[in-house]
Amino acid sequence: MACGCEATLATFPDWGLEDDKLFNAKLPDASGTLPVGTIPVYRLYNNGMGGAPNHRFVTSLAERQNMLNQGFVAEGAGIGVGMCAPP
C-alpha cells in the first residue's frame, strides 16, 4: 500500500514506517474513508524544516490546518488520514 511517504523513505533510508498495529489503529482506504467506529488520525510531515525531519499526528481538523499553515505536508489517504483510531 502506498502511504504517501515513499520519497521521504527514499531520502532518509534509516527511517521506518509505523506499524498499523502499534496503537490499535486501522488503515483508511485509499480515499481516506474510515472503518466504522473509528476517528481519523491526520499525519503531517514537517518537510525537514529546521534540519529535523519529523511527523505530527493529530485528530483535530483545526490543528491539521494549523500544521499545514506552518508548512507541514499532509501524508496519508484522502486529505492525509494516516490511520484510524478508536474514539
Side-chain angles (χ1 to χ4, degrees):
M1 172 181 164
C3 63
C5 58
E6 291 78 14
T8 301
L9 291 171
T11 303
F12 303 100
D14 293 338
W15 279 26
L17 295 175
E18 56 275 340
D19 188 322
D20 66 343
K21 296 172 195 63
L22 183 61
F23 301 107
N24 189 29
K26 299 185 183 318
L27 295 176
D29 70 14
S31 71
T33 301
L34 312 174
V36 173
T38 63
I39 60 171
V41 179
Y42 303 104
R43 176 177 150 170
L44 300 117
Y45 173 58
N46 75 349
N47 217 15
M49 292 183 291
N54 202 344
H55 283 88
R56 183 149 187 208
F57 297 87
V58 299
T59 57
S60 161
L61 273 174
E63 188 59 23
R64 174 191 172 275
Q65 187 60 53
N66 181 39
M67 295 291 95
L68 292 173
N69 293 346
Q70 293 179 44
F72 279 67
V73 177
E75 292 185 333
I79 65 168
V81 179
M83 64 185 99
C84 312

